[in-house]
Amino acid sequence: MSLLEILRFAGRGVAANKLRSALTMLGILIGVAAVILLVAVGNGSAQAVNRSIEALGTNTITVSSTARGGTTPSALTVDIARSLHDPALAPDVRAVSPVVSTTPTMTHAGTEHPVAQFLGTHPSYFGSSNSPLAAGAAFTDQDVAQGRRVVVLGRTVATELFADTDPVGQQVTVGGALFTVVGVLAEKSSASGFSDPNDLAVAPLTAVQQTITGYGPVNSILVEATGPDRVNAAQQQVTQILNQRLKLPAGTAATGRGGGGGGAGAAPYRIQNAAQLLATRTETAQTFTVLLGTVAGISLLVGGIGITNIMLVTVTERTREIGIRKALGAPRRTILTQFLAEATMLSVLGGGLGVAAALIGSRFTIVGVQPVIVPSSVALALGVSVAIGLFFGSVPASRAAGLRPIDALRYE
Amino acid sequence: MTLYLVDGAHRTTEGPNRPVLDVRDLTKVYGQGEATVHALRGVSLTVAAGDYVAIMGSSGSGKSTLMNILGCLDVPSAGTYRLDGVDVSRLDDARLALVRNRRIGFVFQSFNLIPRTSAVANVELPLAYAGVKPAERRRRALAALDMVGLAGRADHEPNQLSGGQQQRVAVARALVTEPALILADEPTGNLDSRSTEEVLAILDQLHTAGRTIVMITHETEVAARARRLVTLFDGRITTDVRQDGAR
Ligand SMILES: Nc1ncnc2c1ncn2[C@@H]1O[C@H](COP(=O)(O)OP(=O)(O)OP(=O)(O)O)[C@@H](O)[C@H]1O
Ligand SMILES: [Mg+2]
């Protein structure tokens, strides 16, 4: 009996019980698609995190205040920020931007918008934080010196307040003071989907202090190193200067990794660089991927058990049929080939459809993440499901084919 | 169809008395311990080529058990079985498959048609395993169905056929390969008198064509058609008589 003939028999076997064949394939389809898609989502979110942190600039260091009581002597001030820009003591620091931040409501022509981050800083902030302008121009050092009330808007704020009109040259009200819009920032990609990086406005430090925050300490200091490989050196120099200025013991370390400011309030500030930020965020993303992968793996396992079950039922139910075929003169090998071909058809077809479904699904954004297919997950999911189908299809079939015809015929 | 039945292609050349079936001291024991059943307790029987044998006996006397062993579907617990002079116990799985396919046409007591498969596909099956080409297969299967009067039901699946029709499909399947030996386990058990007459006519025809036929039956009128009547009782042959097979 030719292979083609056996394949035709197998095809007839698959078609004989269409509903069950379809359900078997559906089980494989869902398992395969789930694994591929969920791993792709995890992978996509990890890539998005990396991209957005790289966009942040990898050679910046953020010094943030951990002191709570307002104007405590240890709080960061503009003076301290200025002292960090010291070519002798800190040769690896390129720029320093003190930052005050508030969350006021901004209004324009009756439209209100609560700004998530209203920053007061120096123009060097734009370069250090990798925030290029899409329209208009940034404010200058002169604007800062004169406390001019100008503001650069983030994309979200601009669209909320001005919709389609050009905001540059228009005026907005913040905390009772009028600010003139001089520029709009280019859109930034979202790091995690949790907060909108475009919901901000940046104004000269002095103007913000004068109108909103008062001339107290600053919230943080953004330090830019001379290069990505100088970040650690710059961080050390900055730490040293800060410890001196704040009269802390020389050994005080206040790196941001794992809990920041050390034990028992040793340092009133926390210092964190983008690489560390990247590391923690990447770790989070990896945990996320592993979690998704595990869930998907479980779904594949459940799908696999489904296939196994259906294959077992199919073959058990068809043990009589195997007995009949043997009684009519079918050799063991022919029967095995037929059942193997049936199992292969089901699992390959189901798996193929699963891959197709995953490929289609990955074109859509899922919970704010653009999935990125991992090729090895396709191979793994397909391989596992086909192997399960083949194994659990062939084992009962080979057992049945090995029976004496009469025993197979009597099988209940 | 009748052409190939009478062309004598399967008539053995060595004369009518050469044994096709040769069974010696056959025993079959089912189960173990308390539940042991001695279905056959030493059966010896030879059937010559071209003979037409009816086996009778009360229910549970071991008729089907004997028939299954003769059909190479089951193996005896003890004793030898020679088919055409060959000791069947020495054949491997592939050879046995070949024997079942080419030498024997088996009609089961319970039909054993493949479900969800049309009548003609069921009849085609042994031809498929014999390697007959699809077109030729279909032609011969339809001819066999025509012979049992079911040409009009070729595309019906077993669950769309009555018990008697299923039985006739099973008969068609058994004779489609033109086997030299036909083993039928109550082929008329579910048939009305007219269908019974049709099936018996087919068997008569096959007998005339030189086939060896062994048939189990509960009906004396059916058994009367055979040339030889073997009676089983409790796993033993009690009578074995020649009769003239009066029509
Ligand atoms: N697989 C089996 N396991 C255990 N006992 C069996 C098995 N098959 C048959 N038997 C027993 O063997 C004995 C003979 O059974 P068999 O089927 O040969 O009877 P039979 O003569 O064909 O009866 P009937 O006329 O009812 O078909 C019975 O007592 C039966 O219970
Ligand atoms: Mg019986």
PDB file of all heavy atoms in Angstrom, chain B residues 217-242:
ATOM      1  N   THR B 217     -23.922 -21.376  12.242  1.00  0.00           N
ATOM      2  CA  THR B 217     -25.338 -20.989  12.201  1.00  0.00           C
ATOM      3  C   THR B 217     -26.100 -21.629  13.348  1.00  0.00           C
ATOM      4  O   THR B 217     -25.662 -22.612  13.945  1.00  0.00           O
ATOM      5  CB  THR B 217     -25.978 -21.359  10.853  1.00  0.00           C
ATOM      6  OG1 THR B 217     -27.324 -20.910  10.843  1.00  0.00           O
ATOM      7  CG2 THR B 217     -25.951 -22.855  10.622  1.00  0.00           C
ATOM      8  N   HIS B 218     -27.214 -21.028  13.661  1.00  0.00           N
ATOM      9  CA  HIS B 218     -28.093 -21.596  14.675  1.00  0.00           C
ATOM     10  C   HIS B 218     -29.316 -22.243  14.029  1.00  0.00           C
ATOM     11  O   HIS B 218     -30.090 -22.921  14.691  1.00  0.00           O
ATOM     12  CB  HIS B 218     -28.577 -20.492  15.633  1.00  0.00           C
ATOM     13  CG  HIS B 218     -27.619 -20.204  16.735  1.00  0.00           C
ATOM     14  ND1 HIS B 218     -27.361 -21.118  17.728  1.00  0.00           N
ATOM     15  CD2 HIS B 218     -26.838 -19.132  17.000  1.00  0.00           C
ATOM     16  CE1 HIS B 218     -26.472 -20.611  18.557  1.00  0.00           C
ATOM     17  NE2 HIS B 218     -26.128 -19.395  18.135  1.00  0.00           N
ATOM     18  N   GLU B 219     -29.468 -21.984  12.719  1.00  0.00           N
ATOM     19  CA  GLU B 219     -30.691 -22.433  12.062  1.00  0.00           C
ATOM     20  C   GLU B 219     -30.451 -23.707  11.277  1.00  0.00           C
ATOM     21  O   GLU B 219     -29.527 -23.774  10.458  1.00  0.00           O
ATOM     22  CB  GLU B 219     -31.182 -21.336  11.117  1.00  0.00           C
ATOM     23  CG  GLU B 219     -31.569 -20.068  11.851  1.00  0.00           C
ATOM     24  CD  GLU B 219     -31.460 -18.837  10.968  1.00  0.00           C
ATOM     25  OE1 GLU B 219     -32.405 -18.558  10.229  1.00  0.00           O
ATOM     26  OE2 GLU B 219     -30.398 -18.178  11.004  1.00  0.00           O
ATOM     27  N   THR B 220     -31.278 -24.715  11.528  1.00  0.00           N
ATOM     28  CA  THR B 220     -31.083 -26.002  10.867  1.00  0.00           C
ATOM     29  C   THR B 220     -31.300 -25.898   9.361  1.00  0.00           C
ATOM     30  O   THR B 220     -30.599 -26.544   8.585  1.00  0.00           O
ATOM     31  CB  THR B 220     -32.033 -27.070  11.446  1.00  0.00           C
ATOM     32  OG1 THR B 220     -33.298 -26.459  11.685  1.00  0.00           O
ATOM     33  CG2 THR B 220     -31.492 -27.659  12.734  1.00  0.00           C
ATOM     34  N   GLU B 221     -32.241 -25.020   8.948  1.00  0.00           N
ATOM     35  CA  GLU B 221     -32.476 -24.899   7.494  1.00  0.00           C
ATOM     36  C   GLU B 221     -31.233 -24.366   6.801  1.00  0.00           C
ATOM     37  O   GLU B 221     -30.912 -24.744   5.685  1.00  0.00           O
ATOM     38  CB  GLU B 221     -33.646 -23.949   7.180  1.00  0.00           C
ATOM     39  CG  GLU B 221     -34.895 -24.095   8.021  1.00  0.00           C
ATOM     40  CD  GLU B 221     -34.810 -23.274   9.286  1.00  0.00           C
ATOM     41  OE1 GLU B 221     -35.020 -22.058   9.213  1.00  0.00           O
ATOM     42  OE2 GLU B 221     -34.522 -23.857  10.360  1.00  0.00           O
ATOM     43  N   VAL B 222     -30.560 -23.429   7.493  1.00  0.00           N
ATOM     44  CA  VAL B 222     -29.342 -22.863   6.917  1.00  0.00           C
ATOM     45  C   VAL B 222     -28.255 -23.928   6.883  1.00  0.00           C
ATOM     46  O   VAL B 222     -27.569 -24.110   5.869  1.00  0.00           O
ATOM     47  CB  VAL B 222     -28.875 -21.631   7.728  1.00  0.00           C
ATOM     48  CG1 VAL B 222     -27.535 -21.138   7.227  1.00  0.00           C
ATOM     49  CG2 VAL B 222     -29.915 -20.529   7.652  1.00  0.00           C
ATOM     50  N   ALA B 223     -28.124 -24.648   8.001  1.00  0.00           N
ATOM     51  CA  ALA B 223     -27.092 -25.677   8.074  1.00  0.00           C
ATOM     52  C   ALA B 223     -27.326 -26.760   7.023  1.00  0.00           C
ATOM     53  O   ALA B 223     -26.375 -27.362   6.513  1.00  0.00           O
ATOM     54  CB  ALA B 223     -27.075 -26.292   9.467  1.00  0.00           C
ATOM     55  N   ALA B 224     -28.579 -26.960   6.664  1.00  0.00           N
ATOM     56  CA  ALA B 224     -28.919 -28.009   5.707  1.00  0.00           C
ATOM     57  C   ALA B 224     -28.330 -27.740   4.331  1.00  0.00           C
ATOM     58  O   ALA B 224     -28.145 -28.659   3.529  1.00  0.00           O
ATOM     59  CB  ALA B 224     -30.433 -28.139   5.609  1.00  0.00           C
ATOM     60  N   ARG B 225     -28.007 -26.468   4.047  1.00  0.00           N
ATOM     61  CA  ARG B 225     -27.442 -26.135   2.735  1.00  0.00           C
ATOM     62  C   ARG B 225     -26.008 -26.605   2.593  1.00  0.00           C
ATOM     63  O   ARG B 225     -25.490 -26.705   1.494  1.00  0.00           O
ATOM     64  CB  ARG B 225     -27.472 -24.623   2.538  1.00  0.00           C
ATOM     65  CG  ARG B 225     -28.852 -24.032   2.594  1.00  0.00           C
ATOM     66  CD  ARG B 225     -29.606 -24.329   1.324  1.00  0.00           C
ATOM     67  NE  ARG B 225     -29.216 -23.409   0.269  1.00  0.00           N
ATOM     68  CZ  ARG B 225     -29.937 -22.334  -0.059  1.00  0.00           C
ATOM     69  NH1 ARG B 225     -31.067 -22.076   0.568  1.00  0.00           N
ATOM     70  NH2 ARG B 225     -29.541 -21.533  -1.005  1.00  0.00           N
ATOM     71  N   ALA B 226     -25.338 -26.845   3.756  1.00  0.00           N
ATOM     72  CA  ALA B 226     -23.925 -27.217   3.706  1.00  0.00           C
ATOM     73  C   ALA B 226     -23.761 -28.699   3.381  1.00  0.00           C
ATOM     74  O   ALA B 226     -24.703 -29.481   3.452  1.00  0.00           O
ATOM     75  CB  ALA B 226     -23.266 -26.896   5.031  1.00  0.00           C
ATOM     76  N   ARG B 227     -22.520 -29.079   3.009  1.00  0.00           N
ATOM     77  CA  ARG B 227     -22.233 -30.470   2.670  1.00  0.00           C
ATOM     78  C   ARG B 227     -21.863 -31.289   3.899  1.00  0.00           C
ATOM     79  O   ARG B 227     -21.834 -32.504   3.875  1.00  0.00           O
ATOM     80  CB  ARG B 227     -21.059 -30.532   1.665  1.00  0.00           C
ATOM     81  CG  ARG B 227     -21.384 -29.903   0.342  1.00  0.00           C
ATOM     82  CD  ARG B 227     -22.590 -30.621  -0.241  1.00  0.00           C
ATOM     83  NE  ARG B 227     -23.190 -29.855  -1.307  1.00  0.00           N
ATOM     84  CZ  ARG B 227     -22.899 -30.068  -2.598  1.00  0.00           C
ATOM     85  NH1 ARG B 227     -22.036 -30.987  -2.945  1.00  0.00           N
ATOM     86  NH2 ARG B 227     -23.484 -29.348  -3.507  1.00  0.00           N
ATOM     87  N   ARG B 228     -21.513 -30.543   4.951  1.00  0.00           N
ATOM     88  CA  ARG B 228     -21.026 -31.231   6.125  1.00  0.00           C
ATOM     89  C   ARG B 228     -21.494 -30.454   7.336  1.00  0.00           C
ATOM     90  O   ARG B 228     -21.492 -29.218   7.328  1.00  0.00           O
ATOM     91  CB  ARG B 228     -19.500 -31.242   6.057  1.00  0.00           C
ATOM     92  CG  ARG B 228     -18.805 -31.998   7.162  1.00  0.00           C
ATOM     93  CD  ARG B 228     -17.313 -31.935   6.864  1.00  0.00           C
ATOM     94  NE  ARG B 228     -16.537 -32.359   8.012  1.00  0.00           N
ATOM     95  CZ  ARG B 228     -15.242 -32.152   8.124  1.00  0.00           C
ATOM     96  NH1 ARG B 228     -14.580 -31.523   7.163  1.00  0.00           N
ATOM     97  NH2 ARG B 228     -14.593 -32.572   9.184  1.00  0.00           N
ATOM     98  N   LEU B 229     -21.892 -31.165   8.370  1.00  0.00           N
ATOM     99  CA  LEU B 229     -22.393 -30.489   9.564  1.00  0.00           C
ATOM    100  C   LEU B 229     -21.584 -30.927  10.774  1.00  0.00           C
ATOM    101  O   LEU B 229     -21.526 -32.116  11.102  1.00  0.00           O
ATOM    102  CB  LEU B 229     -23.876 -30.810   9.770  1.00  0.00           C
ATOM    103  CG  LEU B 229     -24.513 -30.214  11.021  1.00  0.00           C
ATOM    104  CD1 LEU B 229     -24.502 -28.702  10.975  1.00  0.00           C
ATOM    105  CD2 LEU B 229     -25.920 -30.732  11.192  1.00  0.00           C
ATOM    106  N   VAL B 230     -20.952 -29.949  11.411  1.00  0.00           N
ATOM    107  CA  VAL B 230     -20.164 -30.229  12.608  1.00  0.00           C
ATOM    108  C   VAL B 230     -20.911 -29.633  13.787  1.00  0.00           C
ATOM    109  O   VAL B 230     -21.357 -28.489  13.725  1.00  0.00           O
ATOM    110  CB  VAL B 230     -18.755 -29.604  12.497  1.00  0.00           C
ATOM    111  CG1 VAL B 230     -17.991 -29.760  13.805  1.00  0.00           C
ATOM    112  CG2 VAL B 230     -17.978 -30.228  11.347  1.00  0.00           C
ATOM    113  N   THR B 231     -21.074 -30.413  14.856  1.00  0.00           N
ATOM    114  CA  THR B 231     -21.760 -29.895  16.030  1.00  0.00           C
ATOM    115  C   THR B 231     -20.776 -29.802  17.189  1.00  0.00           C
ATOM    116  O   THR B 231     -20.033 -30.737  17.474  1.00  0.00           O
ATOM    117  CB  THR B 231     -22.929 -30.799  16.424  1.00  0.00           C
ATOM    118  OG1 THR B 231     -23.659 -31.136  15.251  1.00  0.00           O
ATOM    119  CG2 THR B 231     -23.841 -30.091  17.401  1.00  0.00           C
ATOM    120  N   LEU B 232     -20.772 -28.646  17.801  1.00  0.00           N
ATOM    121  CA  LEU B 232     -19.904 -28.426  18.963  1.00  0.00           C
ATOM    122  C   LEU B 232     -20.754 -28.459  20.215  1.00  0.00           C
ATOM    123  O   LEU B 232     -21.896 -27.990  20.226  1.00  0.00           O
ATOM    124  CB  LEU B 232     -19.243 -27.044  18.865  1.00  0.00           C
ATOM    125  CG  LEU B 232     -17.924 -26.905  18.120  1.00  0.00           C
ATOM    126  CD1 LEU B 232     -17.448 -25.457  18.233  1.00  0.00           C
ATOM    127  CD2 LEU B 232     -16.875 -27.842  18.688  1.00  0.00           C
ATOM    128  N   PHE B 233     -20.186 -29.029  21.279  1.00  0.00           N
ATOM    129  CA  PHE B 233     -20.856 -28.932  22.568  1.00  0.00           C
ATOM    130  C   PHE B 233     -19.793 -28.765  23.637  1.00  0.00           C
ATOM    131  O   PHE B 233     -18.898 -29.601  23.770  1.00  0.00           O
ATOM    132  CB  PHE B 233     -21.709 -30.180  22.842  1.00  0.00           C
ATOM    133  CG  PHE B 233     -22.387 -30.110  24.188  1.00  0.00           C
ATOM    134  CD1 PHE B 233     -23.473 -29.256  24.389  1.00  0.00           C
ATOM    135  CD2 PHE B 233     -21.910 -30.850  25.265  1.00  0.00           C
ATOM    136  CE1 PHE B 233     -24.077 -29.170  25.625  1.00  0.00           C
ATOM    137  CE2 PHE B 233     -22.518 -30.761  26.505  1.00  0.00           C
ATOM    138  CZ  PHE B 233     -23.612 -29.918  26.690  1.00  0.00           C
ATOM    139  N   ASP B 234     -19.897 -27.683  24.346  1.00  0.00           N
ATOM    140  CA  ASP B 234     -18.982 -27.431  25.458  1.00  0.00           C
ATOM    141  C   ASP B 234     -17.512 -27.587  25.058  1.00  0.00           C
ATOM    142  O   ASP B 234     -16.731 -28.222  25.749  1.00  0.00           O
ATOM    143  CB  ASP B 234     -19.329 -28.392  26.604  1.00  0.00           C
ATOM    144  CG  ASP B 234     -18.781 -27.873  27.922  1.00  0.00           C
ATOM    145  OD1 ASP B 234     -18.377 -26.680  27.962  1.00  0.00           O
ATOM    146  OD2 ASP B 234     -18.746 -28.643  28.890  1.00  0.00           O
ATOM    147  N   GLY B 235     -17.162 -27.008  23.928  1.00  0.00           N
ATOM    148  CA  GLY B 235     -15.758 -26.985  23.533  1.00  0.00           C
ATOM    149  C   GLY B 235     -15.267 -28.260  22.871  1.00  0.00           C
ATOM    150  O   GLY B 235     -14.061 -28.421  22.661  1.00  0.00           O
ATOM    151  N   ARG B 236     -16.176 -29.200  22.575  1.00  0.00           N
ATOM    152  CA  ARG B 236     -15.759 -30.427  21.889  1.00  0.00           C
ATOM    153  C   ARG B 236     -16.674 -30.670  20.699  1.00  0.00           C
ATOM    154  O   ARG B 236     -17.842 -30.284  20.720  1.00  0.00           O
ATOM    155  CB  ARG B 236     -15.836 -31.628  22.835  1.00  0.00           C
ATOM    156  CG  ARG B 236     -14.731 -31.667  23.859  1.00  0.00           C
ATOM    157  CD  ARG B 236     -14.642 -33.043  24.477  1.00  0.00           C
ATOM    158  NE  ARG B 236     -13.665 -33.049  25.547  1.00  0.00           N
ATOM    159  CZ  ARG B 236     -13.935 -32.672  26.801  1.00  0.00           C
ATOM    160  NH1 ARG B 236     -15.144 -32.284  27.123  1.00  0.00           N
ATOM    161  NH2 ARG B 236     -12.992 -32.694  27.716  1.00  0.00           N
ATOM    162  N   ILE B 237     -16.112 -31.360  19.696  1.00  0.00           N
ATOM    163  CA  ILE B 237     -16.947 -31.732  18.554  1.00  0.00           C
ATOM    164  C   ILE B 237     -17.722 -32.982  18.939  1.00  0.00           C
ATOM    165  O   ILE B 237     -17.138 -33.986  19.370  1.00  0.00           O
ATOM    166  CB  ILE B 237     -16.090 -31.995  17.303  1.00  0.00           C
ATOM    167  CG1 ILE B 237     -15.463 -30.673  16.838  1.00  0.00           C
ATOM    168  CG2 ILE B 237     -16.937 -32.606  16.188  1.00  0.00           C
ATOM    169  CD1 ILE B 237     -14.564 -30.796  15.633  1.00  0.00           C
ATOM    170  N   THR B 238     -19.044 -32.922  18.852  1.00  0.00           N
ATOM    171  CA  THR B 238     -19.837 -34.089  19.225  1.00  0.00           C
ATOM    172  C   THR B 238     -20.277 -34.882  18.001  1.00  0.00           C
ATOM    173  O   THR B 238     -20.240 -36.101  18.012  1.00  0.00           O
ATOM    174  CB  THR B 238     -21.067 -33.678  20.045  1.00  0.00           C
ATOM    175  OG1 THR B 238     -21.706 -32.598  19.376  1.00  0.00           O
ATOM    176  CG2 THR B 238     -20.657 -33.246  21.441  1.00  0.00           C
ATOM    177  N   THR B 239     -20.684 -34.202  16.956  1.00  0.00           N
ATOM    178  CA  THR B 239     -21.014 -34.935  15.734  1.00  0.00           C
ATOM    179  C   THR B 239     -20.365 -34.251  14.547  1.00  0.00           C
ATOM    180  O   THR B 239     -20.086 -33.049  14.579  1.00  0.00           O
ATOM    181  CB  THR B 239     -22.537 -34.968  15.471  1.00  0.00           C
ATOM    182  OG1 THR B 239     -22.984 -33.621  15.346  1.00  0.00           O
ATOM    183  CG2 THR B 239     -23.279 -35.671  16.603  1.00  0.00           C
ATOM    184  N   ASP B 240     -20.108 -35.024  13.515  1.00  0.00           N
ATOM    185  CA  ASP B 240     -19.486 -34.509  12.303  1.00  0.00           C
ATOM    186  C   ASP B 240     -20.006 -35.369  11.159  1.00  0.00           C
ATOM    187  O   ASP B 240     -19.519 -36.466  10.928  1.00  0.00           O
ATOM    188  CB  ASP B 240     -17.957 -34.616  12.436  1.00  0.00           C
ATOM    189  CG  ASP B 240     -17.244 -33.969  11.258  1.00  0.00           C
ATOM    190  OD1 ASP B 240     -17.922 -33.629  10.267  1.00  0.00           O
ATOM    191  OD2 ASP B 240     -16.013 -33.801  11.346  1.00  0.00           O
ATOM    192  N   VAL B 241     -21.049 -34.902  10.494  1.00  0.00           N
ATOM    193  CA  VAL B 241     -21.686 -35.751   9.479  1.00  0.00           C
ATOM    194  C   VAL B 241     -21.701 -35.093   8.104  1.00  0.00           C
ATOM    195  O   VAL B 241     -21.791 -33.879   7.981  1.00  0.00           O
ATOM    196  CB  VAL B 241     -23.147 -36.092   9.873  1.00  0.00           C
ATOM    197  CG1 VAL B 241     -23.169 -36.988  11.088  1.00  0.00           C
ATOM    198  CG2 VAL B 241     -23.932 -34.809  10.102  1.00  0.00           C
ATOM    199  N   ARG B 242     -21.587 -35.925   7.086  1.00  0.00           N
ATOM    200  CA  ARG B 242     -21.724 -35.468   5.699  1.00  0.00           C
ATOM    201  C   ARG B 242     -23.212 -35.424   5.389  1.00  0.00           C
ATOM    202  O   ARG B 242     -23.983 -36.248   5.865  1.00  0.00           O
ATOM    203  CB  ARG B 242     -21.060 -36.468   4.758  1.00  0.00           C
ATOM    204  CG  ARG B 242     -19.571 -36.444   4.825  1.00  0.00           C
ATOM    205  CD  ARG B 242     -18.991 -36.084   3.453  1.00  0.00           C
ATOM    206  NE  ARG B 242     -17.783 -35.310   3.635  1.00  0.00           N
ATOM    207  CZ  ARG B 242     -17.652 -34.030   3.243  1.00  0.00           C
ATOM    208  NH1 ARG B 242     -18.641 -33.428   2.623  1.00  0.00           N
ATOM    209  NH2 ARG B 242     -16.562 -33.370   3.455  1.00  0.00           N
TER     210      ARG B 242
END
